[in-house]
Structure formats: C-alpha cells, structure tokens
Amino acid sequence: MLPDFEALLQKYAELIIKVGLNLQPAQRLLVVAPLPSAPLVRQVATSAYQHGARLVEVFYVDEQLLLTRFQHAPRDSFDDEILWPWNVAFQYAQQGDAVLQLAGTDPDLLKGQDPALVQAYTLARSQALKPFSLEVARNNLNWLIASYASASWAAKVFPDLPGDQCEDRLWQAIFDICRVTQPDPIAAWQQHLQQLAQWRTHLTQKQYAALHYTAPGTDLTIGLPSGHIWMGGDVRTPRGMAFVPNMPTEEVFTVPHKEKIHGTVKASKPLSHNGTLIENFSLTFDEGRVVDVKAESGEAVLRNLIATDEGAASLGEVALVPYSSPISLSGLLFF
C-alpha cells in the first residue's frame, strides 16, 4: 500500500464532495459503487456528512454477478433489466439531491461472451436508465463519475506487476491525474476549472464554422451549427449550482452539425469495450453518418456498436483536449 494512502484517499473523497459534486447542506447523496470500492465510499460518506449531507445511501454492485448471469442465465432473458436502482436515482434527481457513480470494473469482465447477448443487455440497461439519463443530460442534479482502483482493473493496466504493486500504481495514477497530490488540491482544481472556462468562452465567441482534424490516417471535417456553445469543466444545474460531472476532466466540447461530418478519423489508441480491445480502427463519415468501418481487431464489435440504434452511427459530441493533460502525460492506456 502507498505509504500515505489513507491521507490521499481522504483528500480524494473531499475533492469528490467539495469540487466534483459541490454537495450542499441538507442534500441527500446516492452512491452507486462496486463492492471493492467500499473504503473510498466510506471516506466519501464521512466527508459528505461533515459538509452537511442529510443522508448518504449506497447501492453496491457485484460485477461478478453480472458475469454469472452471462454464464448461466437463460439466453432469452437479456432483454430484462433491474429497474429499482435507477428508479431511486431518478427520484434523487427529481428531488434535487446528488448522485455519485464510482467506476473501476474489470475491463475484461465480459470477454468471450456472446456479442449478441452483450448488445441485448446493453440496450435493456440503456432503456432502464433512460429517465435518469435524461435528468443527467439536462444537468438537473449535481452528479459525478469518479474512479477507484480495483484489483482487476489495475492488473489490466499493469500486467507485469504483482497484484499489490499494480493496485498501488493505479491509485497513484488516479491521484496524480485528479490533482490529489498537488500541495492544495482544491486550489489546483479551481485554477484548472478557470482555464477550461476561458477556453470554452473563447471558442463560443469565435463561432467557428467547422473543425478540421488532420493526423496520420485522419482527415476529418466536423461542421458546427450556428449558435453552438462550448462547454467543459464545471456546469450548473437549473438552480444555479455549479458542479464537475467528471473527475478527472480535461476537455471542452460542443455539439457537431449532424449533417456536416465528412472524412476519415483513425484512432490513435485502442478502444476497450466489454472485454474486446478494438485496435487500429478507423471510421469514415459522409453527410454526418458512418459509412465505412475498419479495424485490425474487434471490427465486429465496433460494427455492432455503430448499429446499436439510429443515433449510434453519428457523433453526439466533439471535443478538444490538450495533449499536455495529466492523462496524456501519464502515457497509460486505462482500458
């Protein structure tokens, strides 16, 4: 274990509460978290109560039960999805409370499972989440996704290290890219958010007609609609409460014109999706939609992703991210 792990975990929890969620006195907090993240959840709950939370409620998820379902459940049952956790999350959103999701599950959990069943499960889960997802999309609540270093994830990122060492390395990476190791993490985040705000204001004022991306294998033009707004960093609820929905966050982003995306983009890094590593892949667009897909590995999975629904063959967002971001400088593939 890192020598100062407990102190760093406490600082991380404070950032989640104070900066990420910006939890307000008397708010309730719902935490959706995998079982191994319990030490972080306890720190988060402590910080939340210290800052006036009325109630902290936790919904723990056991990822191994999902694998058990794919291994043993009836093959025609994957259109079913548990509704009550997301109904609770929806109620929290409607009542002006906060929701935290901790992410760090095994990237290879569903490796080797039937892609058709994975797709059916993904669609069913998306439908179950839809009412809450709409609240999130509208920023009707202060919500946050943050990471924890699970043993399975750490082993994937650092396969050549022993178990304890790879978990330490992943925790160190999370603490570094989330600015937890800065002398004053909260001040560091305030400065970072101010920089993102300056960039988004500048780009919104410019009102560029299009972005042109060029790189080896990439020549892509993304048109931007008139009146588009750049976002990034912190956002505000309709009641004016600022929060940071992703931690870490390095991007500014806007919406592309749905009919003005042309050319080819080649990924500079692999994409890990439900246990499949999609490598050296490219997408070709015409009039806003994907018309060709190529990949050295995982092409069938990528094609299934693009065929998920009517919107999956287009782009919902376009972002600009500094190459000098802490995530980029880490040189790690986080899967």
Side-chain angles (χ1 to χ4, degrees):
M1 181 177 289
L2 296 172
D4 51 354
F5 177 73
E6 291 299 330
L8 289 170
L9 198 68
Q10 182 178 357
K11 289 182 179 180
Y12 187 35
E14 289 178 354
L15 279 177
I16 286 171
I17 294 299
K18 291 182 179 180
V19 176
L21 289 169
N22 187 21
L23 195 72
Q24 301 297 300
Q27 271 195 308
R28 299 185 307 162
L29 172 62
L30 175 65
V31 182
V32 181
L35 282 173
S37 67
L40 175 56
V41 172
R42 296 181 193 116
Q43 290 282 8
V44 165
T46 298
S47 182
Y49 283 126
Q50 288 174 344
H51 289 86
R54 182 176 180 84
L55 174 67
V56 178
E57 188 172 4
V58 182
F59 171 53
Y60 280 114
V61 179
D62 184 354
E63 65 176 18
Q64 289 303 313
L65 287 178
L66 177 60
L67 180 59
T68 299
R69 180 182 181 188
F70 273 88
Q71 291 171 334
H72 303 293
R75 304 294 89 177
D76 63 351
S77 69
F78 285 83
D79 291 333
D80 298 340
E81 177 60 21
I82 298 171
L83 296 176
W84 71 263
W86 311 117
N87 290 340
V88 172
F90 178 68
Q91 291 172 7
Y92 265 68
Q94 289 204 311
Q95 293 173 11
D97 292 313
V99 175
L100 167 66
Q101 180 180 349
L102 293 179
T105 52
D106 183 357
D108 288 341
L109 183 68
L110 299 181
K111 187 174 184 178
Q113 301 303 316
D114 185 342
L117 295 183
V118 174
Q119 186 176 27
Y121 162 77
T122 302
L123 281 171
R125 189 173 188 272
S126 176
Q127 288 301 312
L129 271 166
K130 191 171 182 178
F132 175 64
S133 296
L134 288 174
E135 296 294 305
V136 166
R138 296 164 180 157
N139 293 319
N140 283 344
L141 71 158
N142 44 331
W143 59 276
L144 171 65
I145 300 175
S147 295
Y148 81 99
S150 67
S152 55
W153 181 26
K156 184 69 175 178
V157 178
F158 301 103
D160 298 327
L161 294 178
D164 290 346
Q165 291 184 31
C166 64
E167 281 190 70
D168 284 351
R169 284 286 301 276
L170 185 53
W171 269 122
Q172 188 66 61
I174 291 172
F175 291 149
D176 287 342
I177 64 178
C178 290
R179 297 172 171 81
V180 179
T181 52
Q182 296 280 338
D184 186 340
I186 291 178
W189 266 95
Q190 290 172 341
Q191 182 179 359
H192 175 52
L193 294 174
Q194 288 173 2
Q195 179 66 78
L196 291 175
Q198 291 173 7
W199 287 338
R200 72 191 186 213
T201 298
H202 173 78
L203 289 166
T204 298
Q205 291 174 345
K206 284 291 185 181
Q207 283 296 296
Y208 290 116
L211 301 174
H212 186 197
Y213 290 78
T214 59
T218 292
D219 187 356
L220 181 72
T221 299
I222 299 179
L224 302 177
S226 176
H228 65 272
I229 298 172
W230 286 85
M231 301 180 68
D234 58 349
V235 296
R236 292 184 179 274
T237 68
R239 299 182 301 278
M241 184 193 309
F243 68 99
V244 180
N246 293 287
M247 187 173 279
T249 185
E250 302 292 336
E251 66 181 11
V252 290
F253 63 95
T254 191
V255 61
H257 193 296
K258 67 176 184 177
E259 297 172 352
K260 296 182 179 180
I261 308 169
H262 302 276
T264 299
V265 57
K266 184 175 182 180
S268 59
K269 287 188 176 182
L271 171 65
S272 178
H273 179 72
N274 284 337
T276 297
L277 196 63
I278 305 169
E279 298 183 276
N280 294 322
F281 65 96
S282 63
L283 305 173
T284 298
F285 292 81
D286 185 45
E287 296 184 351
R289 298 184 63 79
V290 174
V291 295
D292 191 27
V293 177
K294 295 178 181 177
E296 286 189 7
S297 64
E299 184 172 308
V301 172
L302 183 59
R303 289 185 179 276
N304 280 339
L305 270 174
I306 292 168
T308 299
D309 57 31
E310 181 64 23
S314 190
L315 299 180
E317 178 182 306
V318 58
L320 297 173
V321 187
Y323 186 72
S324 60
S325 74
I327 301 171
S328 177
L329 293 177
S330 76
L332 296 173
L333 180 64
F334 285 97
F335 295 91

